[in-house]
Amino acid sequence: MHDALPSASRDLDLDGDTLREECGVFGIFGHPDAAAITALGLHALQHRGQEAAGIVTFDGARFHAERKLGLVGDSFSSREVIERLTGANAIGHVRYSTTGETVMRNVQPLFAELDAGGFAVAHNGNLTNGLTLRRELIREGAICQSTTDTEVILHLLARSRKPRIVERFLDAIRALEGAFALVCLSNKKLIGARDPYGIRPLVIGELDGRYILASETCALDIIGARFVRDVENGEVVVITEGGIESLRPFPAVPERPCVFEYIYFARPDSIVNGKSVYEARKNLGAQLAAESPAEVDVVVPVPDSGVPAAIGYAQAACVPFEMGIIRNHYVGRTFIQPTQSVRELGVRMKHSANRGVIAGKRIVLIDDSLVRGTTSVKIVRMMREAGAKEVHFRIASPPIKHPDFYGIDTPEREKLLAATHDLEAMRAYIGADSLAFLSIDGLYRALGFAGRNAERPQFTDHCFTGEYPTGLTDLGIETPKRLSILAEAD
């Protein structure tokens, strides 16, 4: 659910025809410049969410919070704001909402005063039993102040009867279902956690001898921090003045990180689960060239996310790579008017044809994914109007046929083009001379595996396969061993 206040990224996407970024989290413990470092880390993670940003710090006596709608740079670049965020411990969050409206009460990190002290939480992911938990909590007397699933975690902590804050935290996350990467701050601890399958990423870094938690390694690079390791799937790390402790509160299951981190979400300069995102995307393009070659004169990426795959495709196919589409990075929402005639022109404000490298050429367009297909229609038309002789389309991922419930804001299944059209119908719809997708086995081969093992896939790939790794309790598909949040823990 979203309210009427759009983000800059949503304005540019006139038809909802992209995969939405998720959220980004950051935390640092014991550094005198904690707030400023956190703001820089959030800048690096801005691609994961542009609707809102927040930072919570602790100075040894009090918690301080600043939460703002909009981009990090709009609110956290001034000295006055950073100086209000005193303390050596901090956590931060950038948000794209998949649960809850874009209003101030939903901006994270969320904070609560518990009998054990203050506690703040920042969450990347989506709980597939969040609504069910919320209803149960409200029936038992809980008063919710937000509409985000993250607030459920604070209520679960408050209800736990365990004596220590870490034990309460473990109690709380054992009740969660779905995808989560959490960064939390208490009076004396910085806590990080990943869901049992490790669907959402979280890494550990080190700066000046102090530990950091972040969604991606690019947030470490911007502050000159050293990458230590990934937080493992199902792991909880507790950082204190004494160092770092690792806990394993969940039964062991094979790791299944979200494959879309490699296809679309993560920044190209990040390393996710030991793999370079940039190299992974180039490999996707190379594999696509091997599977679906095209007799063309030039390879053209759909910028910006299609660029690495297009480079890989061009190199593998030995066809020249050209920036045949130029993206305008400076289109703001004030340019967008709610009239159909201007909406039709909107794609030209974001993308314009580089006529000099397109006219008279047979081109192949490379994009990372295809969702509704409406933007692809406009780009193909733009290429033809710029004089392209032929326009072929190649997608560096398999067809998206199923919605996501783990933090990616995909449309309903009936609005996914590949869920309602066969390949020829999709080609005709977007107006291309040919259309092809990367195969599911090709996706796995490009990422370093022999193929997709049907008995135990290596990634969370449900958007392509329909196989969801967790239960979907809020949709009426419950996990067989979900713990009751209201039962007293053993």
Side-chain angles (χ1 to χ4, degrees):
M1 177 171 61
H2 310 291
D3 72 356
L5 178 65
S7 70
S9 63
R10 190 175 290 171
D11 285 324
L12 295 179
D13 171 29
L14 299 178
D15 299 289
D17 191 27
T18 63
L19 297 171
R20 305 292 193 179
E21 286 86 352
E22 306 155 325
C23 295
V25 295
F26 187 94
I28 185 167
F29 190 87
H31 199 287
D33 297 320
I37 290 170
T38 300
L40 287 171
L42 295 180
H43 271 289
L45 298 172
Q46 187 75 86
H47 60 286
R48 299 187 71 89
Q50 298 90 46
E51 289 185 350
I55 297 175
V56 171
T57 64
F58 182 67
D59 63 9
R62 294 180 56 196
F63 285 86
H64 306 271
E66 293 280 343
R67 303 181 186 89
K68 306 288 184 180
L69 296 176
L71 303 177
V72 176
D74 293 340
S75 302
F76 292 96
S77 295
S78 71
R79 177 178 295 180
E80 292 78 9
V81 172
I82 297 301
E83 287 179 347
R84 289 199 297 266
L85 291 165
T86 59
N89 306 331
I91 65 172
H93 187 268
V94 289
R95 184 171 195 258
Y96 176 81
S97 59
T98 54
T99 301
E101 300 169 305
T102 309
V103 291
M104 282 301 300
R105 62 178 177 159
N106 288 337
V107 179
Q108 298 185 40
L110 298 185
F111 175 79
E113 289 284 358
L114 308 176
D115 62 353
F119 195 89
V121 57
H123 173 206
N124 170 213
N126 198 59
L127 305 181
T128 56
N129 64 341
L131 293 175
T132 302
L133 294 174
R134 181 185 179 89
R135 285 193 290 266
E136 292 181 18
L137 287 162
I138 290 174
R139 277 198 300 267
E140 292 297 314
I143 300 174
C144 292
Q145 301 296 315
S146 75
T147 58
T148 176
D149 59 352
T150 308
E151 187 179 3
V152 165
I153 299 168
L154 292 174
H155 284 287
L156 295 175
L157 257 87
R159 299 180 68 88
S160 174
R161 299 173 185 176
K162 299 291 186 182
R164 298 175 60 245
I165 193 67
V166 171
E167 293 173 330
R168 290 184 173 200
F169 179 75
L170 299 182
D171 253 5
I173 65 173
R174 287 189 185 105
L176 305 181
E177 171 189 282
F180 57 85
L182 304 173
V183 172
C184 309
L185 185 64
S186 72
N187 300 52
K188 298 180 180 180
K189 296 175 175 65
L190 176 66
I191 303 172
R194 286 180 80 187
D195 65 79
Y197 291 99
I199 298 173
R200 294 284 153 252
L202 191 63
V203 301
I204 303 170
E206 179 266 327
L207 178 67
D208 302 329
R210 301 298 181 177
Y211 284 114
I212 295 166
L213 298 172
S215 290
E216 294 183 36
T217 59
C218 64
L220 305 179
D221 296 336
I222 197 174
I223 59 172
R226 177 179 67 90
F227 170 74
V228 176
R229 66 175 179 87
D230 292 291
V231 177
E232 296 181 4
N233 59 306
E235 182 183 16
V236 173
V237 293
V238 181
I239 298 167
T240 64
E241 288 291 346
I244 187 167
E245 178 185 10
S246 174
L247 305 173
R248 303 283 181 170
F250 302 106
V253 294
E255 182 182 32
R256 288 185 61 180
C258 178
V259 74
F260 270 105
E261 294 291 343
Y262 299 101
I263 296 170
Y264 179 80
F265 288 122
R267 233 172 68 165
D269 54 331
S270 283
I271 307 295
V272 176
N273 296 304
K275 297 180 186 296
S276 162
V277 173
Y278 180 76
E279 290 300 325
R281 290 176 186 168
K282 283 182 61 180
N283 291 342
L284 292 172
Q287 181 67 34
L288 180 62
E291 292 184 359
S292 301
E295 291 290 331
V296 294
D297 304 307
V298 64
V299 175
V300 174
V302 177
D304 287 321
S305 55
V307 171
I311 293 173
Y313 190 102
Q315 291 176 348
C318 297
V319 175
F321 169 94
E322 295 286 356
M323 293 299 293
I325 302 171
I326 305 302
R327 181 179 175 185
N328 182 356
H329 291 266
Y330 304 101
V331 179
R333 59 174 170 261
T334 55
F335 289 93
I336 305 303
Q337 301 296 325
T339 62
Q340 183 62 28
S341 60
V342 176
R343 284 173 62 86
E344 288 297 322
L345 296 174
V347 72
R348 298 177 186 272
M349 299 178 68
K350 183 177 179 181
H351 295 120
S352 57
N354 187 0
R355 186 178 295 269
V357 301
I358 292 172
K361 303 286 182 62
R362 300 170 299 169
I363 70 169
V364 59
L365 293 167
I366 309 296
D367 207 352
D368 57 80
S369 57
L370 189 149
V371 186
R372 297 175 188 258
T374 47
T375 298
S376 300
V377 170
K378 296 172 184 177
I379 289 176
V380 170
R381 184 186 306 144
M382 181 192 301
M383 296 296 97
R384 295 199 187 281
E385 291 173 354
K389 184 186 299 184
E390 296 177 12
V391 181
H392 303 269
F393 222 117
R394 298 291 183 268
I395 309 297
S397 63
I400 298 174
K401 298 183 177 181
H402 305 273
D404 178 81
F405 302 103
Y406 300 121
I408 306 172
D409 189 13
T410 52
E412 298 86 352
R413 190 169 192 269
E414 59 270 18
K415 295 180 181 178
L416 295 169
L417 190 65
T420 56
H421 295 65
D422 63 19
L423 185 65
E424 173 56 23
M426 284 190 281
R427 183 208 62 76
Y429 176 78
I430 68 174
D433 291 288
S434 71
L435 172 67
F437 293 81
L438 185 64
S439 69
I440 188 70
D441 277 342
L443 172 68
Y444 275 81
R445 283 193 290 271
L447 296 176
F449 296 91
R452 186 182 191 272
N453 183 336
E455 295 180 359
R456 197 184 76 181
Q458 295 91 348
F459 294 104
T460 292
D461 58 12
H462 52 278
C463 287
F464 311 129
T465 65
E467 181 185 318
Y468 297 88
T470 75
L472 305 173
T473 297
D474 289 342
L475 298 178
I477 307 170
E478 190 164 345
T479 50
K481 295 183 179 180
R482 189 175 74 84
L483 301 176
S484 169
I485 63 166
L486 304 179
E488 183 175 353
D490 294 335

